[in-house]
Amino acid sequence: MKAALQNYHARMQRVLDHIDQHLNGNLDLDALSGIAAFSKYHFHRQFTATFGLSVHRYVQLARMKRASYRLAFRDAESVTDIAMDAGYDAPDAFARAFRQRFGQSPSSFRKSPDWAPWLAAFGPMDNARSKLMHITYDHDDVTIRDVPPTPVAIMEHRGDRATLGDTIQRFIAWRKAAGLSPETSPTFNVFRSERIPANPADYSMDLCVGTDLPIDADDEQMKAGVIPGGRCAVLRVVHNTNNLEPAALYLYRDWLPASGQEARDFPIYCQRHFSMFPSVPVPDVVCELFLPLK
C-alpha cells in the first residue's frame, strides 16, 4: 500500500512540475492527464481530491503568480504582454482578475506591490503543493559548515506576525531602491522568537540583505549589522519555504541532541536562494536553515 501511494503521489508531482515548466504551453485536461498517466475522464476529480482545488484553478494561480513576479521585477515588459502570457485575451480582463485577486491594479502593483494580500491569494496554491510534501529529515540531511561573517543591512520586524507582510513590503521596496537584487545580494531571515509566541506581540524577526554599503545614520528603516561567522549545522529546505518551523524543530528536537554538538549564542537563521526570471519559468525559493554551533 505504501509503495502504491508513493507512486500515485509521484505521478501527481510530475503534473505540478510540468505545469511549472510549461506555463506558456497546453495545460488542458488531456495534456495533464497524459503526464500523470491517468484517465482523462477521472483525472480532474483525482486532482481536486488530492490538492483541494481544480486543475483549471491551479493553472490560473500558477500563471497569475508568474505574471505578478514579472510586474514586480521586469519593468521592461509591458502589461499587455504579461496579460497575454497569463492566458488573457485582453489587458482589461487581466486587470479585472488581478484587482479582484490582489486588491491592486497591475500598474499599481508594479509601482508598489502590496505583498500581504498577494501571500494570502496564493494560500490555496501553497496548500495544494504541501499535500504531497510531508517532508521528514534525517541525520544525513544536515551538514556542518564553517561560514564567514556576512555584513548585512537589517530591517527589524517587532510585533504581531500578522503585520509581517507590511514589513516585507517595505524591505523589498528598500532593497529595490538600493539596487540590491535577490539574484546578486543574499537574503537572510534571523528568527529571534518562536514562529507563533504565546503573546503575538513578542514575535521578532530580522529581514537582512547582504551588503557592505554604508547605511545612512538617518535611515529610519534599516541599520547595518553582521551575521557572525562560525560553525553552523545547515539543513536545506526545498518545499514549503514559507514555514520553516518543521525543519527548525527537527534540528532542535532530533539532530542537536543526537549530534553531541552545542548551540552557539546566536539565533537560528536562514538564507533564501532565489531563482528568478528569465532563468526559470516560475520564481523559486530554496532555503538553507543555519543553527549556529560552538
Side-chain angles (χ1 to χ4, degrees):
M1 288 289 291
K2 184 177 180 181
L5 184 61
Q6 289 174 338
N7 176 262
Y8 188 94
H9 284 175
R11 291 158 76 181
M12 285 296 191
Q13 186 64 56
R14 284 205 305 267
V15 174
L16 300 190
D17 293 341
H18 181 84
I19 292 171
D20 285 349
Q21 298 299 321
H22 299 87
L23 286 177
N24 287 337
N26 176 17
L27 296 176
D28 64 14
L29 203 60
D30 285 353
L32 295 179
S33 62
I35 295 297
F38 288 130
S39 166
K40 67 179 180 181
Y41 299 108
H42 304 288
F43 176 68
H44 64 292
R45 290 188 177 90
Q46 290 174 284
F47 189 96
T48 301
T50 300
F51 297 115
L53 73 169
S54 69
V55 176
H56 177 69
R57 175 70 170 151
Y58 185 91
V59 171
Q60 276 188 325
L61 285 170
R63 285 174 169 159
M64 190 63 83
K65 188 172 188 178
R66 180 181 66 168
S68 61
Y69 274 107
R70 291 172 70 176
L71 286 167
F73 300 111
R74 290 290 180 265
D75 293 340
E77 296 187 23
S78 71
V79 174
T80 298
D81 287 344
I82 293 172
M84 298 300 181
D85 285 344
Y88 291 85
D89 294 331
D92 57 341
F94 172 70
R96 285 195 299 272
F98 196 93
R99 183 184 290 277
Q100 183 179 23
R101 190 158 286 132
F102 306 120
Q104 286 184 284
S105 68
S107 57
S108 174
F109 184 86
R110 167 164 273 176
K111 292 177 182 176
S112 180
D114 187 350
W115 293 104
W118 184 92
L119 288 169
F122 290 111
M125 185 177 178
D126 292 337
N127 289 338
R129 296 189 70 90
S130 70
K131 300 287 185 182
L132 301 184
M133 296 174 182
H134 300 294
I135 303 300
T136 58
Y137 302 100
D138 61 42
H139 197 86
D140 292 338
D141 294 323
V142 181
T143 59
I144 295 179
R145 189 186 306 171
D146 284 310
V147 300
T150 304
V152 292
I154 302 169
M155 179 175 287
E156 298 177 340
H157 178 87
R158 302 292 184 265
D160 197 330
R161 192 170 180 275
T163 64
L164 179 59
D166 295 334
T167 306
I168 293 172
Q169 180 182 349
R170 292 195 303 273
F171 177 72
I172 292 172
W174 185 92
R175 70 181 297 169
K176 194 172 183 180
L180 299 173
S181 165
E183 296 174 285
T184 56
S185 301
T187 302
F188 301 93
N189 298 149
V190 180
F191 305 107
R192 296 187 175 275
S193 73
E194 298 175 83
R195 188 171 189 265
I196 304 178
N199 179 2
D202 292 337
Y203 182 75
S204 179
M205 184 179 79
D206 295 344
L207 289 78
C208 309
V209 54
T211 179
D212 55 6
L213 293 175
I215 306 299
D216 193 322
D218 296 328
D219 193 319
E220 297 181 353
Q221 299 188 88
M222 306 296 290
K223 68 177 186 180
V226 175
I227 294 178
R231 296 171 68 250
C232 291
V234 184
L235 177 59
R236 184 178 175 87
V237 181
V238 296
H239 301 299
N240 196 17
T241 56
N242 289 329
N243 181 9
L244 299 177
E245 190 72 6
L249 285 175
Y250 171 77
L251 286 174
Y252 285 117
R253 182 188 58 214
D254 301 310
W255 183 86
L256 189 62
S259 70
Q261 302 287 333
E262 291 190 42
R264 182 163 29 104
D265 191 22
F266 188 78
I268 194 168
Y269 67 95
C270 78
Q271 180 176 359
R272 297 185 181 272
H273 300 275
F274 295 86
S275 298
M276 302 296 289
F277 296 116
S279 57
V280 293
V282 179
D284 192 19
V285 181
V286 172
C287 286
E288 289 184 310
L289 194 60
F290 292 78
L291 176 60
L293 302 174
K294 290 183 179 179

